[in-house]
């Protein structure tokens, strides 16, 4: 098979990329209008500046939206312009000219690969930084006074060091009834307890209120020290108390891997949010290739009135993929499957569908 670029390759690639970005622009415009109508009262009530709404919120909101629905956009794009090619008998002319069906797929797959790489780059490096600005904007102008509380928290903050917090409140950055235990050779060697621990961001540590330090010895008497306040720095910050699906979206892939390692060490149940986010970032771009193959296989045959039906089928399949990807996360939350398996199941299933349709399409 001759894979050297031909005029036909540039023709199909140009139509693919151009139609894809036109679809993005149109859909993004509609989504922004609906989002403005939903949040306009918050913007006015909280006096959000216009330049921050435009350049801080919506400019950073767009990349996440583009990437989230890129499978839908790719599928609709392929279905739309391939149906047009088939309706105009261009595909028949291509195949009659001695170009095989497999060779015709090369520019499709090359364009889909370009979009997949763009999506992967956005996922790993660009969107996390954009999400951080969006979250900060929403916390300031949309979701004010969000009082967050957690209770009964157990962490291993370092090898042999364990912390327990009875409850934590975000509005005051205060941990109530905190205990720090140090264990060596399966023996408890020291225990720090405090009624309150207040986070101080200026030096990155905690102010322990009404504390007690007990050091366990091999003798008959332990060493005990008490006081009203003790300033201490431990590998635990306020952000560790509220890692969830929103906060992990603001981390680059390096930060996400570091968080997963830290939370695994601590036995933090919230690690599933980071694991889901990591595998979703890799799995979602791969769908561009799968859905491109399905789209071409469905729409490359010439039929009367087929464009409308093809677009309808394409939208249904693309939405089913996105829903399936979201639904597969439930297997992770319930502990049925690991994130590495659950988040790749949609790609595996739709790869089988794509292989079947692609095999039948030339016939």
């Amino acid at each position: 098979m001759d894979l050297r670029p031909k005029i036909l390759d540039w023709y199909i690639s140009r139509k693919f990329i151009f139609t894809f970005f036109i679809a993005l622009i149109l859909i993004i415009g509609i989504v922004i209008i609906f989002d403005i109508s939903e949040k306009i009262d918050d913007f006015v009530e909280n006096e959000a500046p216009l330049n921050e709404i435009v350049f801080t919120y919506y400019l950073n909101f767009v990349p996440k939206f583009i990437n989230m629905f890129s499978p839908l956009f790719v599928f609709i794009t392929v279905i739309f312009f391939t149906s047009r090619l088939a309706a105009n008998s261009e595909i028949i002319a291509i195949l009659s000219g001695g170009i095989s069906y497999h060779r015709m797929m090369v520019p499709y797959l090359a364009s889909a690969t370009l979009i997949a790489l763009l999506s992967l780059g956005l996922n790993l490096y660009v969107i996390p930084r954009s999400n951080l600005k969006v979250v900060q904007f929403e916390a300031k102008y949309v979701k004010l006074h969000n009082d967050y509380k957690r209770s009964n928290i157990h962490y291993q903050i370092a090898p042999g060091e364990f912390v327990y917090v009875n409850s934590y409140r975000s509005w005051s950055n205060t941990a109530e009834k905190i205990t720090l235990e140090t264990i060596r050779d399966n023996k408890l060697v020291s225990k720090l307890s405090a009624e309150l621990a207040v986070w101080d961001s200026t030096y990155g540590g905690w102010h322990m209120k009404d504390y007690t330090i007990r050091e366990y010895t091999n003798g008959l008497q332990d060493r005990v020290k008490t006081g009203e306040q003790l300033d201490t720095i431990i590998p635990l910050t306020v952000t560790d108390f509220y890692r969830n699906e929103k906060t992990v979206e603001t981390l680059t892939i390096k930060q996400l891997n570091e968080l997963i390692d830290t939370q695994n060490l601590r036995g933090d149940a919230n690690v599933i949010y980071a694991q889901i986010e990591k595998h979703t970032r890799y799995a979602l771009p791969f769908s561009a290739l799968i859905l491109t193959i399905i789209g071409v296989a469905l729409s490359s045959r010439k039929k009367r009135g087929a464009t409308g039906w093809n677009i309808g089928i394409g939208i249904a399949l693309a939405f089913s993929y996105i829903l399936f990807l979201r639904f597969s996360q439930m297997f992770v939350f319930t502990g049925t499957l690991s994130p590495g398996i659950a988040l790749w199941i949609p790609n595996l299933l739709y790869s089988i569908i794509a292989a079947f349709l692609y095999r039948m399409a030339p016939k």
Side-chain angles (χ1 to χ4, degrees):
M1 183 185 298
D2 185 6
L3 297 179
R4 288 176 296 179
K6 302 179 182 295
I7 295 177
L8 175 64
D9 297 324
W10 295 114
Y11 176 70
I12 292 177
S13 298
R14 187 172 63 250
K15 278 186 171 291
F16 193 148
I17 301 298
F18 179 76
T19 308
F20 175 74
F21 282 104
I22 290 298
L24 280 182
I25 293 172
L26 293 175
I27 299 298
I28 288 170
I30 295 172
V31 170
I32 289 177
I33 291 173
F34 277 103
D35 193 74
I36 290 175
S37 65
E38 179 184 350
K39 295 186 173 69
I40 187 66
D41 292 336
D42 291 318
F43 294 159
V44 174
E45 180 180 353
N46 300 314
E47 300 179 351
L50 180 61
N51 64 316
E52 289 196 38
I53 294 175
V54 176
F55 297 106
T56 301
Y57 182 64
Y58 282 110
L59 191 62
N60 291 289
F61 167 83
V62 167
K64 177 183 177 181
F65 176 82
I66 290 175
N67 210 52
M68 182 185 302
F69 292 98
S70 60
L72 174 63
F73 296 143
V74 168
F75 208 17
I76 292 177
T77 296
V78 172
I79 290 285
F80 178 76
F81 86 82
T82 305
S83 296
R84 294 292 300 273
L85 291 178
N88 295 331
S89 300
E90 293 181 70
I91 291 181
I92 294 176
I94 292 171
L95 299 178
S96 300
I99 296 177
S100 68
Y101 192 87
H102 304 300
R103 180 61 181 86
M104 186 188 72
M105 286 295 299
V106 171
Y108 280 99
L109 294 178
S111 301
T113 300
L114 179 63
I115 293 173
L117 292 175
L118 174 62
S119 176
L120 183 62
L122 289 174
N123 262 340
L124 300 184
Y125 305 106
V126 177
I127 292 177
R129 294 182 174 88
S130 298
N131 285 341
L132 178 60
K133 295 179 181 179
V134 170
V135 169
Q136 291 172 341
F137 178 91
E138 289 181 339
K140 186 176 181 180
Y141 296 112
V142 180
K143 301 174 181 177
L144 299 181
H145 310 300
N146 184 20
D147 186 13
Y148 175 85
K149 182 178 180 179
R150 286 190 64 192
S151 59
N152 196 28
I153 304 163
H154 296 266
Y155 285 151
Q156 179 179 203
I157 58 176
E161 294 186 9
F162 300 86
V163 66
Y164 166 76
V165 176
N166 183 62
S167 63
Y168 170 78
R169 282 190 173 274
S170 63
W171 68 272
S172 60
N173 288 336
T174 301
E176 300 176 355
K177 296 187 182 302
I178 183 172
T179 300
L180 179 63
E181 297 178 340
T182 302
I183 297 176
R184 297 287 183 270
D185 298 326
N186 296 322
K187 293 182 179 180
L188 181 63
V189 297
S190 68
K191 182 177 180 180
L192 168 63
S193 303
E195 290 297 315
L196 292 175
V198 182
W199 174 255
D200 188 338
S201 59
T202 57
Y203 83 104
W206 297 89
H207 299 304
M208 303 287 188
K209 309 286 187 179
D210 297 327
Y211 71 91
T212 300
I213 299 177
R214 183 180 296 272
E215 295 181 356
Y216 299 91
T217 65
N218 293 326
L220 298 177
Q221 189 174 6
D222 299 331
R223 290 190 291 269
V224 180
K225 179 182 178 181
T226 61
E228 293 183 359
Q229 179 170 314
L230 174 67
D231 296 339
T232 182
I233 296 177
I234 58 176
L236 182 73
T237 67
V238 292
T239 56
D240 293 313
F241 289 111
Y242 51 89
R243 294 289 189 187
N244 53 31
E245 67 272 19
K246 279 291 184 182
T247 56
V248 297
E249 290 176 359
T250 66
L251 304 178
T252 63
I253 191 61
K254 180 181 179 181
Q255 294 170 329
L256 198 59
N257 286 328
E258 291 173 351
L259 175 63
I260 291 173
D261 292 338
T262 300
Q263 290 184 321
N264 280 329
L265 172 67
R266 294 174 175 175
D268 190 348
N270 284 336
V271 70
I272 60 174
Y273 293 116
Q275 291 173 333
I276 288 173
E277 177 68 17
K278 176 183 177 179
H279 288 285
T280 300
R281 291 185 187 184
Y282 285 107
L284 190 64
F286 189 73
S287 65
L289 293 167
I290 300 172
L291 296 178
T292 294
I293 295 173
I294 295 176
V296 176
L298 286 175
S299 57
S300 57
R301 182 172 297 180
K302 183 177 181 179
K303 298 178 183 177
R304 182 181 297 274
T307 302
W309 279 105
N310 288 339
I311 292 176
I313 294 172
I315 292 175
L317 280 173
F319 268 118
S320 69
Y321 172 84
I322 295 172
L323 290 175
F324 193 11
L325 185 64
R326 298 299 175 185
F327 179 75
S328 63
Q329 296 179 6
M330 299 305 299
F331 294 114
V332 183
F333 287 115
T334 58
T336 306
L337 295 173
S338 68
I341 296 176
L343 274 302
W344 282 90
I345 285 179
N347 281 345
L348 177 61
L349 177 61
Y350 280 76
S351 293
I352 296 173
I353 296 174
F356 173 77
L357 293 175
Y358 181 73
R359 185 177 180 181
M360 298 298 295
K363 300 177 182 179

